[in-house]
Amino acid sequence: MMIARFVLSILIVAAIVSGSEFSYTRDAKVEKILKKLNKPALKSIKSPDGDIIDCVHMNNHPIYDHPLFKNYTIQMKPSSYPKGKNNESSDREKQSVVTQLWTVNGKCPENSIPIRRTRRKEILRTKYMQRYDKKNPNIINHPKASTSNSIHEYAQIQAKGKFHGAHADINVWKPYVQTPKEFSLAQMWVMAGPFSELNSVEAGWQVYHDRYGDDNPRYFIFWTADGYHSGCYNLDCPGFVPVNKNFALGAAVSNVSTLNGQQYHIPTTIWKDPHTGNWWLKFNDHEFVGYWPSILFNHLKDGATEIQWGGEIINFKDGSLHTTTRMGSGHFAEEGYQKASYFKNLEIIDEHDIHNKPKEGYSFMTQESCYNIRSGYAKIWGVYFYYGGPGRNQNCK
């Protein structure tokens, strides 16, 4: 009996020691990740939503963490902007364009960029040490590969051809998301290459509690150079080069649309710099956010071959039922203005670096009974579409 108790005591102590070692190892890994992501700040600004925005000197830019960019000279502005787009908005349009919430409490100094501080709980919540850089920790899918077993669902307009970029005004809402591990987003994809080694640069807004810790829509980017086998959100890994001292990726959108009320949108442009080949991102009419260096890609360096605009959600089918996560406003496309979410002023940038209307496009819906899309053309809105839906309903189970 005494021997049994002695053995049990040893096992208990061993378990405690083992658990402590595991905790220490995990903590060490978390601290290493945080040190890498959170650069020394010249100034820190607390946003009304609780975010901390660190103003990081350009000498400590995240791009220098990438082995290909150790002695890199950052391109501070695009060499030119595509022709055929009027960058001046009317006063009414300006009232509908969203800004960033943190800017009400301060600005970053010259020669610095704002970076949303990553917190310890975010690392643990998103399992950063395993698959934090993935668009979803379990599976990355794509419309071309969608099946009934896919957890990603879409409502999109897609265009194929040869492009140097694209544009859209993306309506902003705050959709309900059923569980923290699911997301709802609206974005633009600029893509090239076969699916197995797809190059894609993406930008828009996203509600994703597991990543950001709340249910606010947030500006985000994503990119992959290998068909989503790997890829990165925002500045989670070095690749995208932010240059704007007034714009922080991952920050909350300040204004969102309301049912039967004021509508807000984000003018979004991605285009290939004709001199450097870098892929620039512009939000709103004047925020040149930064760029993806052309050296990151083996297909996009020659131009894009497909553009996609639309919504995407994750459906984990908890309880073997379709999710109630909403896409867009949560209303179907046919409900129209002030009810359904929209993209307007869809444009492609052709090989001559000129804005044009998409000549050919087609709609794609994973499950039309859950989320749908309706496109059209109007003089003021140009090429547009309404999209979205509530998810689970009597026809979507």
Side-chain angles (χ1 to χ4, degrees):
M1 188 69 174
M2 291 291 292
I3 295 174
R5 287 179 179 175
F6 178 71
V7 171
L8 180 60
S9 298
I10 291 176
L11 290 174
I12 291 172
V13 170
I16 292 172
V17 171
S18 177
S20 299
E21 288 179 349
F22 170 77
S23 179
Y24 176 79
T25 302
R26 183 192 65 181
D27 289 348
K29 287 182 178 179
V30 170
E31 290 305 315
K32 184 177 180 181
I33 293 166
L34 288 173
K35 187 176 181 180
K36 185 175 182 180
L37 290 175
N38 296 326
K39 306 295 183 184
L42 298 174
K43 174 182 178 181
S44 296
I45 301 167
K46 185 164 185 179
S47 175
D49 64 350
D51 278 354
I52 303 295
I53 304 298
D54 290 323
C55 301
V56 175
H57 196 280
M58 293 297 286
N59 289 341
N60 291 318
H61 199 290
I63 193 62
Y64 297 127
D65 291 336
H66 196 295
L68 293 177
F69 298 94
K70 292 300 182 183
N71 298 306
Y72 183 67
T73 300
I74 293 173
Q75 182 183 1
M76 292 304 297
K77 61 181 181 179
S79 63
S80 63
Y81 187 72
K83 301 174 184 177
K85 181 70 177 176
N86 181 8
N87 289 320
E88 293 298 322
S89 297
S90 66
D91 289 339
R92 184 176 178 182
E93 274 290 295
K94 289 176 181 177
Q95 292 175 5
S96 298
V97 173
V98 297
T99 55
Q100 293 203 307
L101 196 56
W102 68 272
T103 57
V104 303
N105 285 341
K107 294 182 179 180
C108 283
E110 295 296 328
N111 297 316
S112 71
I113 53 171
I115 299 179
R116 178 181 176 272
R117 186 182 299 177
T118 302
R119 305 188 189 199
R120 177 186 178 84
K121 59 185 178 181
E122 294 175 26
I123 301 296
L124 297 173
R125 187 171 56 239
T126 51
K127 299 180 181 178
Y128 188 107
M129 290 167 283
Q130 297 174 7
R131 303 289 288 277
Y132 188 74
D133 60 347
K134 287 285 191 141
K135 203 167 186 182
N136 176 265
N138 295 320
I139 181 172
I140 293 296
N141 219 306
H142 182 269
K144 294 175 184 173
S146 290
T147 69
S148 59
N149 294 322
S150 172
I151 63 170
H152 289 247
E153 297 188 22
Y154 303 85
Q156 298 177 315
I157 295 293
Q158 304 176 358
K160 296 180 186 289
K162 293 184 178 181
F163 312 109
H164 280 183
H167 171 88
D169 295 342
I170 306 175
N171 191 207
V172 185
W173 291 79
K174 186 179 179 179
Y176 167 78
V177 177
Q178 181 177 313
T179 69
K181 62 186 177 181
E182 294 181 340
F183 67 58
S184 181
L185 63 77
Q187 70 169 52
M188 183 165 66
W189 293 255
V190 176
M191 308 158 72
F195 178 66
S196 61
E197 52 188 64
L198 186 74
N199 296 176
S200 182
V201 293
E202 308 167 14
W205 62 262
Q206 175 183 53
V207 174
Y208 195 178
H209 190 283
D210 250 8
R211 175 160 289 275
Y212 303 108
D214 61 30
D215 298 316
N216 292 321
R218 293 174 175 273
Y219 292 91
F220 85 100
I221 62 166
F222 186 86
W223 65 275
T224 181
D226 58 7
Y228 296 103
H229 296 295
S230 65
C232 282
Y233 273 111
N234 303 328
L235 302 179
D236 288 350
C237 71
F240 185 82
V241 185
V243 298
N244 192 317
K245 72 183 184 71
N246 300 313
F247 199 95
L249 291 167
V253 176
S254 59
N255 301 103
V256 298
S257 303
T258 55
L259 190 66
N260 297 316
Q262 177 71 43
Q263 300 298 295
Y264 294 94
H265 61 261
I266 305 171
T268 304
T269 310
I270 297 174
W271 79 100
K272 185 174 182 285
D273 188 301
H275 295 291
T276 64
N278 299 330
W279 286 90
W280 276 86
L281 169 65
K282 183 170 76 118
F283 280 135
N284 303 328
D285 289 325
H286 57 282
E287 301 289 2
F288 293 93
V289 180
Y291 62 91
W292 292 272
S294 62
I295 195 173
L296 294 173
F297 308 105
N298 58 345
H299 296 292
L300 274 174
K301 64 182 177 62
D302 299 319
T305 55
E306 185 168 350
I307 308 294
Q308 299 175 355
W309 302 264
E312 176 185 355
I313 64 96
I314 286 183
N315 172 25
F316 273 112
K317 302 177 184 175
D318 285 353
S320 299
L321 295 171
H322 193 284
T323 183
T324 54
T325 289
R326 297 179 175 184
M327 182 186 290
S329 67
H331 289 255
F332 285 116
E334 55 269 24
E335 296 186 55
Y337 188 63
Q338 293 185 318
K339 292 182 174 62
S341 187
Y342 62 81
F343 280 57
K344 66 175 184 172
N345 292 318
L346 267 64
E347 293 179 329
I348 57 91
I349 298 168
D350 65 21
E351 291 184 289
H352 302 290
D353 300 314
I354 298 173
H355 281 265
N356 275 307
K357 300 178 185 64
K359 293 181 180 178
E360 292 183 11
Y362 58 95
S363 61
F364 175 87
M365 293 168 280
T366 311
Q367 294 191 67
E368 188 172 0
S369 60
C370 306
Y371 313 103
N372 69 355
I373 192 166
R374 299 287 184 272
S375 60
Y377 176 82
K379 186 175 181 180
I380 296 177
W381 276 29
V383 178
Y384 70 89
F385 63 86
Y386 290 103
Y387 75 100
R392 186 167 76 235
N393 62 73
Q394 62 182 2
N395 298 315
C396 170
K397 299 176 183 179

Tab-separated table of all heavy atoms in Angstrom, residues 332-357:
chain	number	residue	atom	x	y	z
A	332	PHE	N	-31.024	39.103	-48.495
A	332	PHE	CA	-30.802	38.613	-49.853
A	332	PHE	C	-30.705	39.767	-50.845
A	332	PHE	O	-31.224	40.871	-50.613
A	332	PHE	CB	-31.922	37.662	-50.269
A	332	PHE	CG	-31.828	36.297	-49.643
A	332	PHE	CD1	-32.803	35.838	-48.772
A	332	PHE	CD2	-30.740	35.469	-49.923
A	332	PHE	CE1	-32.715	34.578	-48.199
A	332	PHE	CE2	-30.635	34.205	-49.356
A	332	PHE	CZ	-31.623	33.760	-48.489
A	333	ALA	N	-30.050	39.489	-51.958
A	333	ALA	CA	-29.753	40.504	-52.963
A	333	ALA	C	-30.997	41.218	-53.477
A	333	ALA	O	-30.990	42.433	-53.698
A	333	ALA	CB	-28.998	39.869	-54.125
A	334	GLU	N	-32.091	40.482	-53.678
A	334	GLU	CA	-33.288	41.069	-54.287
A	334	GLU	C	-33.954	42.127	-53.410
A	334	GLU	O	-34.825	42.878	-53.881
A	334	GLU	CB	-34.298	39.982	-54.650
A	334	GLU	CG	-34.702	39.068	-53.513
A	334	GLU	CD	-33.819	37.836	-53.405
A	334	GLU	OE1	-32.663	37.882	-53.876
A	334	GLU	OE2	-34.299	36.833	-52.849
A	335	GLU	N	-33.559	42.238	-52.140
A	335	GLU	CA	-34.157	43.254	-51.271
A	335	GLU	C	-33.643	44.657	-51.584
A	335	GLU	O	-34.252	45.645	-51.192
A	335	GLU	CB	-33.924	42.890	-49.809
A	335	GLU	CG	-34.614	41.592	-49.402
A	335	GLU	CD	-34.489	41.309	-47.922
A	335	GLU	OE1	-34.871	42.193	-47.117
A	335	GLU	OE2	-34.002	40.220	-47.568
A	336	GLY	N	-32.481	44.766	-52.259
A	336	GLY	CA	-32.026	46.039	-52.799
A	336	GLY	C	-31.447	47.026	-51.798
A	336	GLY	O	-31.060	46.673	-50.686
A	337	TYR	N	-31.405	48.277	-52.237
A	337	TYR	CA	-30.699	49.354	-51.535
A	337	TYR	C	-31.205	49.565	-50.111
A	337	TYR	O	-32.402	49.528	-49.853
A	337	TYR	CB	-30.823	50.646	-52.338
A	337	TYR	CG	-29.979	51.778	-51.803
A	337	TYR	CD1	-28.593	51.673	-51.771
A	337	TYR	CD2	-30.577	52.956	-51.334
A	337	TYR	CE1	-27.807	52.709	-51.281
A	337	TYR	CE2	-29.807	54.004	-50.850
A	337	TYR	CZ	-28.416	53.868	-50.819
A	337	TYR	OH	-27.643	54.898	-50.330
A	338	GLN	N	-30.253	49.811	-49.213
A	338	GLN	CA	-30.474	50.035	-47.783
A	338	GLN	C	-30.922	48.781	-47.038
A	338	GLN	O	-31.199	48.817	-45.846
A	338	GLN	CB	-31.470	51.177	-47.515
A	338	GLN	CG	-30.943	52.539	-47.934
A	338	GLN	CD	-31.889	53.653	-47.558
A	338	GLN	OE1	-33.107	53.534	-47.704
A	338	GLN	NE2	-31.344	54.750	-47.064
A	339	LYS	N	-30.972	47.673	-47.747
A	339	LYS	CA	-31.295	46.393	-47.107
A	339	LYS	C	-30.204	45.369	-47.423
A	339	LYS	O	-29.601	44.807	-46.521
A	339	LYS	CB	-32.669	45.894	-47.550
A	339	LYS	CG	-33.827	46.753	-47.031
A	339	LYS	CD	-35.157	46.199	-47.447
A	339	LYS	CE	-36.306	46.976	-46.811
A	339	LYS	NZ	-36.333	48.388	-47.224
A	340	ALA	N	-29.964	45.140	-48.713
A	340	ALA	CA	-28.906	44.214	-49.110
A	340	ALA	C	-27.579	44.956	-49.252
A	340	ALA	O	-27.535	46.143	-49.589
A	340	ALA	CB	-29.266	43.540	-50.425
A	341	SER	N	-26.491	44.252	-48.985
A	341	SER	CA	-25.158	44.813	-49.166
A	341	SER	C	-24.808	44.848	-50.654
A	341	SER	O	-25.344	44.071	-51.441
A	341	SER	CB	-24.132	43.956	-48.415
A	341	SER	OG	-22.853	44.566	-48.428
A	342	TYR	N	-23.906	45.746	-51.039
A	342	TYR	CA	-23.596	45.917	-52.466
A	342	TYR	C	-22.116	46.190	-52.702
A	342	TYR	O	-21.376	46.598	-51.813
A	342	TYR	CB	-24.421	47.057	-53.061
A	342	TYR	CG	-24.154	48.420	-52.432
A	342	TYR	CD1	-23.049	49.189	-52.806
A	342	TYR	CD2	-25.013	48.950	-51.465
A	342	TYR	CE1	-22.807	50.435	-52.232
A	342	TYR	CE2	-24.783	50.187	-50.881
A	342	TYR	CZ	-23.671	50.922	-51.267
A	342	TYR	OH	-23.421	52.150	-50.691
A	343	PHE	N	-21.707	45.942	-53.939
A	343	PHE	CA	-20.462	46.451	-54.520
A	343	PHE	C	-20.900	47.324	-55.692
A	343	PHE	O	-21.789	46.926	-56.459
A	343	PHE	CB	-19.600	45.322	-55.075
A	343	PHE	CG	-18.779	44.561	-54.072
A	343	PHE	CD1	-19.385	43.927	-52.993
A	343	PHE	CD2	-17.406	44.439	-54.222
A	343	PHE	CE1	-18.639	43.188	-52.091
A	343	PHE	CE2	-16.645	43.697	-53.324
A	343	PHE	CZ	-17.265	43.079	-52.246
A	344	LYS	N	-20.288	48.489	-55.854
A	344	LYS	CA	-20.616	49.324	-57.004
A	344	LYS	C	-19.335	49.825	-57.661
A	344	LYS	O	-18.236	49.683	-57.122
A	344	LYS	CB	-21.504	50.496	-56.594
A	344	LYS	CG	-20.843	51.511	-55.684
A	344	LYS	CD	-21.762	52.699	-55.437
A	344	LYS	CE	-21.067	53.769	-54.614
A	344	LYS	NZ	-21.844	55.011	-54.506
A	345	ASN	N	-19.506	50.397	-58.856
A	345	ASN	CA	-18.368	50.899	-59.637
A	345	ASN	C	-17.290	49.840	-59.837
A	345	ASN	O	-16.091	50.106	-59.692
A	345	ASN	CB	-17.761	52.149	-58.978
A	345	ASN	CG	-18.691	53.345	-59.034
A	345	ASN	OD1	-19.327	53.591	-60.052
A	345	ASN	ND2	-18.795	54.076	-57.939
A	346	LEU	N	-17.724	48.620	-60.183
A	346	LEU	CA	-16.767	47.560	-60.503
A	346	LEU	C	-15.995	47.944	-61.760
A	346	LEU	O	-16.588	48.306	-62.784
A	346	LEU	CB	-17.491	46.234	-60.753
A	346	LEU	CG	-17.662	45.291	-59.566
A	346	LEU	CD1	-18.543	45.930	-58.498
A	346	LEU	CD2	-18.243	43.964	-60.000
A	347	GLU	N	-14.684	47.869	-61.662
A	347	GLU	CA	-13.836	48.173	-62.814
A	347	GLU	C	-12.637	47.239	-62.827
A	347	GLU	O	-12.163	46.790	-61.781
A	347	GLU	CB	-13.346	49.627	-62.759
A	347	GLU	CG	-14.458	50.647	-62.925
A	347	GLU	CD	-13.951	52.078	-62.850
A	347	GLU	OE1	-12.953	52.306	-62.131
A	347	GLU	OE2	-14.543	52.939	-63.475
A	348	ILE	N	-12.157	46.972	-64.026
A	348	ILE	CA	-10.877	46.294	-64.181
A	348	ILE	C	-9.873	47.318	-64.689
A	348	ILE	O	-10.249	48.349	-65.264
A	348	ILE	CB	-10.968	45.090	-65.147
A	348	ILE	CG1	-11.498	45.482	-66.535
A	348	ILE	CG2	-11.855	44.013	-64.542
A	348	ILE	CD1	-10.436	45.855	-67.531
A	349	ILE	N	-8.605	47.071	-64.442
A	349	ILE	CA	-7.532	47.899	-65.008
A	349	ILE	C	-6.844	47.034	-66.048
A	349	ILE	O	-6.338	45.951	-65.737
A	349	ILE	CB	-6.560	48.359	-63.907
A	349	ILE	CG1	-7.311	49.216	-62.886
A	349	ILE	CG2	-5.387	49.129	-64.519
A	349	ILE	CD1	-6.536	49.480	-61.616
A	350	ASP	N	-6.891	47.486	-67.296
A	350	ASP	CA	-6.428	46.635	-68.396
A	350	ASP	C	-4.905	46.675	-68.539
A	350	ASP	O	-4.200	47.323	-67.749
A	350	ASP	CB	-7.131	47.003	-69.704
A	350	ASP	CG	-6.786	48.401	-70.205
A	350	ASP	OD1	-5.733	48.964	-69.813
A	350	ASP	OD2	-7.563	48.945	-71.017
A	351	GLU	N	-4.400	45.984	-69.553
A	351	GLU	CA	-2.949	45.887	-69.740
A	351	GLU	C	-2.320	47.206	-70.159
A	351	GLU	O	-1.091	47.353	-70.133
A	351	GLU	CB	-2.644	44.809	-70.775
A	351	GLU	CG	-2.948	43.405	-70.290
A	351	GLU	CD	-2.536	42.348	-71.301
A	351	GLU	OE1	-3.202	42.235	-72.354
A	351	GLU	OE2	-1.531	41.653	-71.047
A	352	HIS	N	-3.159	48.180	-70.522
A	352	HIS	CA	-2.658	49.521	-70.857
A	352	HIS	C	-2.770	50.452	-69.664
A	352	HIS	O	-2.625	51.670	-69.804
A	352	HIS	CB	-3.428	50.077	-72.057
A	352	HIS	CG	-3.350	49.208	-73.279
A	352	HIS	ND1	-2.190	49.053	-74.011
A	352	HIS	CD2	-4.289	48.425	-73.874
A	352	HIS	CE1	-2.410	48.214	-75.027
A	352	HIS	NE2	-3.676	47.820	-74.962
A	353	ASP	N	-3.090	49.884	-68.495
A	353	ASP	CA	-3.221	50.633	-67.242
A	353	ASP	C	-4.329	51.671	-67.296
A	353	ASP	O	-4.194	52.801	-66.812
A	353	ASP	CB	-1.880	51.292	-66.874
A	353	ASP	CG	-0.766	50.269	-66.691
A	353	ASP	OD1	-1.006	49.259	-66.010
A	353	ASP	OD2	0.324	50.467	-67.258
A	354	ILE	N	-5.442	51.261	-67.872
A	354	ILE	CA	-6.623	52.120	-67.981
A	354	ILE	C	-7.813	51.447	-67.293
A	354	ILE	O	-8.052	50.257	-67.460
A	354	ILE	CB	-6.972	52.393	-69.461
A	354	ILE	CG1	-5.810	53.130	-70.147
A	354	ILE	CG2	-8.268	53.199	-69.587
A	354	ILE	CD1	-5.987	53.298	-71.648
A	355	HIS	N	-8.545	52.229	-66.494
A	355	HIS	CA	-9.777	51.730	-65.862
A	355	HIS	C	-10.841	51.485	-66.922
A	355	HIS	O	-11.092	52.328	-67.782
A	355	HIS	CB	-10.318	52.768	-64.875
A	355	HIS	CG	-9.620	52.788	-63.555
A	355	HIS	ND1	-10.069	52.100	-62.455
A	355	HIS	CD2	-8.497	53.429	-63.148
A	355	HIS	CE1	-9.266	52.314	-61.424
A	355	HIS	NE2	-8.297	53.118	-61.824
A	356	ASN	N	-11.490	50.336	-66.859
A	356	ASN	CA	-12.592	50.019	-67.774
A	356	ASN	C	-13.640	49.197	-67.043
A	356	ASN	O	-13.352	48.557	-66.028
A	356	ASN	CB	-12.080	49.207	-68.981
A	356	ASN	CG	-11.543	50.109	-70.090
A	356	ASN	OD1	-12.228	51.010	-70.532
A	356	ASN	ND2	-10.310	49.863	-70.503
A	357	LYS	N	-14.841	49.183	-67.598
A	357	LYS	CA	-15.876	48.299	-67.063
A	357	LYS	C	-15.524	46.857	-67.416
A	357	LYS	O	-14.971	46.607	-68.497
A	357	LYS	CB	-17.245	48.656	-67.654
A	357	LYS	CG	-17.714	50.075	-67.367
A	357	LYS	CD	-19.059	50.332	-68.035
A	357	LYS	CE	-19.474	51.776	-67.852
A	357	LYS	NZ	-18.552	52.724	-68.522
